[in-house]
C-alpha cells in the first residue's frame, strides 16, 4: 500500500490517495476551499513580466512527513526562489532557496494530508508568477505483529558519513526503511534489505547533528519507528571557498571537490583541486552543470558569459588570488606566477587585472594588463581586425597577444599557421604551439614549497651560524 499510495499521489490521484490513507471526503472539500482562498490572494500580487516562472514543478520521494520538490530554472537573471506550501491545517512561511538550486527537500509535513506547494522567482522587489503542484503524504500505521528493531545506535562518525547499527526484530520482515534529517533541514529515505544490521550514511555535511530513524516492514505492515542521533565531525571551513580551505579541512589528494563562493552555502560549485603542485591548494578548473569540464579560463566563446561570471564571483572577494600558468612542450616544462589576479564584471567586459610576474616561462601576461575579453562576436581589442578570429581563440587580446592559451590545439608546425596555435611568446615564440597548459589560482600567501624551502634554508643558516659561535 505504501508503494501504491506513492504512485497514486505522484500521478495526481488525490481522492484515492486520501482513501488509502484513511482521510475522509469532507477533508478534501476543506482543502479545496483553502486552495481557492490562496489563489484569490495571489491575484493581488504584483508580478514582473521580465521574470519568467519556474516550470515543471514536481514532487518525488514522498514519505509520511517529507517530500522532494524539483523544478526547471527560469531563464531570467534572479536572486533566488521562494517556496511555500499550504494544507487544510494551515500555511508555511516562505522558504528562501538559492538561485542555482533546482530541488528542495520539504520536512516536517503532516502525514495523510494534501499539500499544495508553490514556487516563484524573485529579483529585488520583482517576482515571477507562482507555479504549484500538489502532493499527498502517506500514513504508516504501526502493526502489533511486527516488533521494532532494537539497540539502534550511531557510531564511526566522520566529516561526511556515519554508521548506524541495530538488532533484528523477532518477526519475519521484508526489510527496513531508514530515514534521516538534520538541523539544516536535509532529509532522505533509504530502503535496506532484511538481512542487514548496519548501514553507512554518506554525503553528509560536516559538524551537523543528524536524527536517524528506522522501522521494519512486511508488505503493507510496519513496526514502530525508533531513532538515534549523531553529529558528524566538524571541519575548520564548513563551506570552503577555495582549494586552500579544502586542503586545510584535511583533504590532501588532488580531485573534485565542492567549494562555496565567498563561503556562501547557497553558491556551491564543483571544482578540480591540484594538491600537489608547489604546495597544493590550486583551483585548476570549474565543473559546470552541463558536466562539461573546462580549464579555469579555457572556455569556448559561446560559454564565456556563464564561465567568466563564475570566475568574477570567485576572485572578487576580500581575498587576493595568485595565478599560475603551467606550460609544456613534449618533456619540457615551464611556469609563470602572478601575485594578483581578478577580472571585472560582464558590464566591464571581464577586464583583466594581473600582478607581478615570477617564474621560468617569461612574462607574457603583463602585456594583456587591463584588456577586456574578446570573442568572435565581441571585438574589444585594439587591432584592425578581430584577434579572436585571426588567432582562433578568445582572450584578453591587445594587438594581438604575447599569450594565446585558447588558440588552436595540436598545430605544432613551425610556420605562420602556428600563430593560430597555443602560444606563450617569451618561452617558445609565436610560431610554436605548445601542447600542455594549465591555469590555476589560490589565495596569495598560501604556504608554497618555494616558501617552505626558503624558510628551511633560513633555519639551516641560523643553526650553522649558532654552531660557529
Amino acid at each position: 500500500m505504501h508503494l501504491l499510495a506513492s504512485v497514486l499521489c505522484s500521478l495526481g490521484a488525490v481522492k484515492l490517495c486520501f482513501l488509502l490513507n484513511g482521510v475522509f471526503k469532507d477533508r478534501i472539500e476543506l482543502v479545496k476551499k483553502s486552495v481557492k482562498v490562496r489563489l484569490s490572494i495571489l491575484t493581488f500580487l504584483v508580478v514582473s513580466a521580465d521574470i519568467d516562472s519556474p516550470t515543471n514543478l514536481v514532487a518525488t520521494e514522498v514519505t509520511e512527513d517529507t517530500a522532494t520538490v524539483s523544478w526547471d530554472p527560469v531563464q531570467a537573471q534572479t536572486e533566488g526562489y521562494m517556496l511555500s506550501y499550504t494544507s487544510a491545517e494551515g500555511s508555511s512561511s516562505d522558504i528562501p532557496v538559492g538561485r542555482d538550486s533546482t530541488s528542495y527537500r520539504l520536512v516536517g509535513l503532516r502525514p495523510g494530508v494534501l499539500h499544495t506547494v508553490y514556487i516563484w522567482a524573485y529579483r529585488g522587489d520583482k517576482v515571477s508568477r507562482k507555479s504549484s503542484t500538489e502532493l499527498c503524504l502517506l500514513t504508516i500505521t504501526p502493526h502489533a505483529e511486527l516488533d521494532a528493531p532494537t539497540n539502534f545506535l550511531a557510531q564511526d562518525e566522520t566529516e561526511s558519513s556515519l554508521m548506524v547499527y541495530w538488532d533484528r526484530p523477532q518477526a519475519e520482515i521484508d526489510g527496513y526503511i531508514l530515514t534521516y534529517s538534520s538541523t539544516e533541514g536535509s532529509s532522505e529515505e533509504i530502503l535496506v534489505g532484511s538481512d542487514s544490521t548496519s548501514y553507512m550514511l554518506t554525503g553528509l555535511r560536516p559538524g551537523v547533528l543528524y536524527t536517524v530513524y528506522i522501522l521494519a516492514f512486511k508488505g503493507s505492515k510496519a513496526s514502530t519507528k525508533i531513532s538515534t542521533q549523531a553529529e558528524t565531525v566538524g571541519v575548520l571551513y564548513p563551506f570552503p571557498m577555495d582549494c586552500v580551505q579544502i586542503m586545510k579541512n584535511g583533504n590532501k589528494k588532488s580531485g573534485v571537490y565542492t567549494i562555496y563562493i565567498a563561503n556562501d552555502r547557497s553558491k556551491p560549485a564543483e571544482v578540480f583541486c591540484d594538491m600537489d603542485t608547489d604546495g597544493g591548494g590550486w583551483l585548476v578548473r570549474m565543473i559546470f552543470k552541463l558536466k562539461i569540464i573546462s580549464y579555469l579560463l579555457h572556455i569556448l566563446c559561446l560559454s564565456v558569459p556563464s564561465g567568466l561570471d563564475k570566475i568574477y564571483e570567485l576572485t572578487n572577494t576580500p581575498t587576493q588570488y595568485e595565478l599560475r600558468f603551467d606550460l609544456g612542450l613534449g618533456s619540457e616544462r615551464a611556469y609563470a606566477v602572478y601575485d594578483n589576479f581578478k577580472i571585472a564584471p560582464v558590464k566591464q567586459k571581464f577586464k583583466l587585472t594581473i600582478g607581478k610576474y615570477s617564474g621560468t616561462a617569461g612574462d607574457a601576461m603583463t602585456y594583456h594588463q587591463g584588456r577586456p575579453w574578446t570573442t568572435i562576436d565581441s571585438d574589444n581589442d585594439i587591432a584592425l581586425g578581430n584577434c579572436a578570429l585571426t588567432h582562433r581563440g578568445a582572450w584578453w587580446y591587445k594587438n594581438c597577444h604575447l599569450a594565446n592559451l585558447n588558440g588552436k590545439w595540436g598545430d605544432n608546425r613551425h610556420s605562420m599557421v602556428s600563430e593560430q596555435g597555443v602560444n606563450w611568446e617569451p618561452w617558445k615564440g609565436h610560431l610554436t604551439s605548445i601542447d600542455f597548459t594549465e591555469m590555476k589560482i589560490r589565495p596569495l600567501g598560501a604556504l608554497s614549497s618555494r616558501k617552505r624551502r626558503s624558510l628551511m634554508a633560513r633555519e639551516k643558516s641560523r643553526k650553522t651560524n649558532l654552531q660557529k659561535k
Side-chain angles (χ1 to χ4, degrees):
M1 180 178 286
H2 185 109
L3 178 60
L4 178 60
S6 296
V7 173
L8 290 170
C9 289
S10 65
L11 293 175
V14 174
K15 290 186 178 180
L16 188 51
C17 174
F18 268 120
L19 292 174
L20 287 169
N21 287 290
V23 181
F24 296 103
K25 187 175 180 180
D26 58 347
R27 193 79 172 272
I28 300 173
E29 296 303 320
L30 182 59
V31 171
K32 288 181 178 179
K33 291 178 182 178
S34 173
V35 173
K36 287 180 180 178
V37 171
R38 178 76 175 182
L39 291 174
S40 66
I41 293 173
L42 295 180
T43 59
F44 292 96
L45 292 176
V46 178
V47 298
S48 175
D50 60 353
I51 304 180
D52 52 313
S53 302
T55 55
N56 296 325
L57 179 64
V58 295
T60 57
E61 301 175 15
V62 179
T63 71
E64 58 180 330
D65 59 359
T66 66
T68 296
V69 289
S70 59
W71 60 91
D72 291 342
V74 299
Q75 300 298 315
Q77 290 290 327
T78 66
E79 294 178 18
Y81 301 95
M82 298 296 287
L83 274 170
S84 69
Y85 58 86
T86 63
S87 72
E89 301 184 355
S91 302
S92 73
S93 56
D94 292 341
I95 304 167
V97 182
R99 64 182 178 184
D100 295 326
S101 299
T102 56
S103 66
Y104 188 85
R105 186 72 173 170
L106 298 171
V107 298
L109 306 177
R110 295 290 296 168
V113 173
L114 174 68
H115 291 71
T116 303
V117 183
Y118 300 90
I119 187 171
W120 62 99
Y122 70 91
R123 184 179 68 243
D125 58 353
K126 297 179 179 179
V127 298
S128 72
R129 294 188 179 277
K130 295 187 178 183
S131 299
S132 66
T133 190
E134 291 183 336
L135 61 95
C136 177
L137 300 176
L138 306 171
T139 299
I140 299 178
T141 303
H143 199 278
E145 295 178 6
L146 285 183
D147 55 317
T150 56
N151 297 324
F152 188 43
L153 54 90
Q155 292 180 342
D156 307 325
E157 299 91 338
T158 70
E159 296 168 5
S160 60
S161 67
L162 60 87
M163 284 289 296
V164 287
Y165 301 87
W166 63 90
D167 291 341
R168 284 178 50 85
Q170 298 298 315
E172 290 294 323
I173 61 172
D174 292 336
Y176 304 93
I177 296 176
L178 269 175
T179 58
Y180 66 86
S181 60
S182 75
T183 51
E184 295 183 337
S186 59
S187 178
E188 188 172 342
E189 181 179 85
I190 304 160
L191 189 65
V192 182
S194 60
D195 294 333
S196 299
T197 56
S198 65
Y199 190 86
M200 176 175 281
L201 301 175
T202 59
L204 308 181
R205 293 285 310 156
V208 173
L209 179 65
Y210 286 87
T211 302
V212 188
Y213 304 89
I214 190 172
L215 60 83
F217 71 92
K218 185 174 180 61
S220 61
K221 300 175 183 178
S223 73
T224 56
K225 183 188 293 184
I226 60 173
S227 66
T228 188
Q229 286 189 321
E231 185 172 345
T232 49
V233 177
V235 292
L236 187 60
Y237 299 100
F239 303 100
M241 71 175 183
D242 51 50
C243 292
V244 167
Q245 292 187 355
I246 292 281
M247 187 169 62
K248 289 181 178 178
N249 279 347
N251 301 288
K252 305 299 184 183
K253 293 184 178 180
S254 298
V256 176
Y257 296 93
T258 300
I259 64 167
Y260 299 84
I261 294 173
N263 300 120
D264 185 344
R265 65 178 297 180
S266 69
K267 296 181 178 180
E270 281 192 305
V271 300
F272 185 90
C273 294
D274 174 0
M275 301 304 196
D276 301 310
T277 302
D278 192 24
W282 296 99
L283 191 160
V284 184
R285 54 186 180 258
M286 304 183 74
I287 302 170
F288 297 95
K289 287 182 178 179
L290 295 178
K291 302 301 180 186
I292 299 173
I293 298 179
S294 175
Y295 283 118
L296 180 62
L297 297 177
H298 291 182
I299 301 163
L300 296 175
C301 300
L302 294 178
S303 62
V304 162
S306 60
L308 290 179
D309 274 338
K310 288 289 187 184
I311 297 165
Y312 162 72
E313 286 187 280
L314 184 66
T315 59
N316 280 267
T317 68
T319 300
Q320 181 175 331
Y321 284 88
E322 61 178 331
L323 171 64
R324 178 185 174 103
F325 296 86
D326 282 316
L327 311 173
L329 181 62
S331 61
E332 293 184 76
R333 290 293 182 267
Y335 73 90
V337 176
Y338 295 85
D339 66 6
N340 188 22
F341 168 71
K342 63 181 178 180
I343 60 175
V346 63
K347 289 182 180 179
Q348 299 175 35
K349 301 177 181 179
F350 306 114
K351 185 173 69 174
L352 173 68
T353 296
I354 199 81
K356 184 180 178 181
Y357 161 81
S358 62
T360 61
D363 179 12
M365 290 302 295
T366 300
Y367 175 80
H368 299 273
Q369 176 76 267
R371 297 308 309 160
W373 187 260
T374 287
T375 66
I376 57 174
D377 57 356
S378 180
D379 186 359
N380 300 308
D381 56 58
I382 62 173
L384 293 177
N386 183 333
C387 293
L389 284 172
T390 56
H391 294 279
R392 302 290 183 89
W395 198 249
W396 294 283
Y397 291 117
K398 190 175 180 180
N399 187 30
C400 278
H401 66 80
L402 293 184
N404 187 38
L405 300 192
N406 272 338
K408 185 179 179 181
W409 286 79
D411 187 348
N412 292 310
R413 291 173 294 173
H414 291 264
S415 67
M416 288 304 293
V417 176
S418 290
E419 253 194 290
Q420 298 176 349
V422 180
N423 306 135
W424 191 274
E425 194 278 337
W427 187 43
K428 293 297 178 181
H430 277 133
L431 303 183
T432 300
S433 183
I434 58 180
D435 56 23
F436 173 81
T437 69
E438 271 189 354
M439 300 175 66
K440 52 192 76 172
I441 64 172
R442 72 179 176 191
L444 182 67
L447 190 60
S448 69
S449 58
R450 297 192 308 275
K451 291 182 179 179
R452 283 202 297 271
R453 287 195 298 270
S454 176
L455 290 172
M456 291 171 63
R458 284 187 213 169
E459 182 64 15
K460 184 177 180 180
S461 175
R462 186 183 70 83
K463 289 181 179 179
T464 301
N465 291 334
L466 287 174
Q467 289 172 355
K468 288 179 179 180
K469 292 179 180 179

